[in-house]
Amino acid sequence: MTMNIVLDARKRLRVAVTGEFDCEVARELMRRFRMNWPARARALHLDLKGVTEFRQGAIELLVLLLEMTGGELSLEGCSDELEAAYVSVLTGAAAAPNAGSACRDFLLGGECAVCSRGACP
């Protein structure tokens, strides 16, 4: 996994993720996003075309970032599977109850035995 983060001239955080987009990557991305928001970054652009696999925690991160930026999140290069999982969570059709709250706690720096082992529901 690699993650490249740049704050551009328009105060938009540009992030490119390649490889596996799992809970640990999502947590690190959240940590780095929070360092730049809201003081410096006003919007977020995620390039996900290099993502080969993803976990539920990564999807929860996308939804959380959408909320935190007030909708100023743009996704680029999502696979059909990743996009379908994202839309499923957005529309409330995700199958695992309470998965979102456990992942969000982990993403925001809390401990969660399930996510910390990388075995997201």
Side-chain angles (χ1 to χ4, degrees):
M1 177 292 308
T2 55
M3 181 173 28
N4 183 31
I5 301 177
V6 176
L7 184 65
D8 69 17
R10 295 186 329 170
K11 298 212 181 253
R12 184 178 192 107
L13 206 58
R14 303 185 71 75
V15 180
V17 177
T18 59
E20 187 175 359
F21 194 16
D22 62 13
C23 296
E24 290 296 333
V25 172
R27 186 175 187 171
E28 177 62 14
L29 179 54
M30 175 57 77
R31 186 188 70 77
R32 292 177 68 181
F33 175 74
R34 290 171 85 184
M35 288 176 12
N36 289 288
W37 175 86
R40 295 189 294 172
R42 296 188 186 130
L44 181 62
H45 175 88
L46 277 172
D47 179 350
L48 302 172
K49 65 180 163 254
V51 171
T52 55
E53 292 181 54
F54 65 91
R55 297 274 195 181
Q56 185 64 31
I59 302 304
E60 292 296 333
L61 170 76
L62 299 179
V63 174
L64 185 57
L65 290 173
L66 180 68
E67 293 169 7
M68 291 175 72
T69 61
E72 292 296 320
L73 170 69
S74 63
L75 303 177
E76 176 184 318
C78 291
S79 67
D80 291 342
E81 185 181 11
L82 194 152
E83 186 173 3
Y86 175 63
V87 169
S88 178
V89 171
L90 280 177
T91 60
N98 299 323
S101 62
C103 284
R104 283 176 182 230
D105 288 347
F106 178 74
L107 292 169
L108 294 171
E111 291 303 318
C112 175
V114 174
C115 285
S116 64
R117 289 194 310 267
C120 294

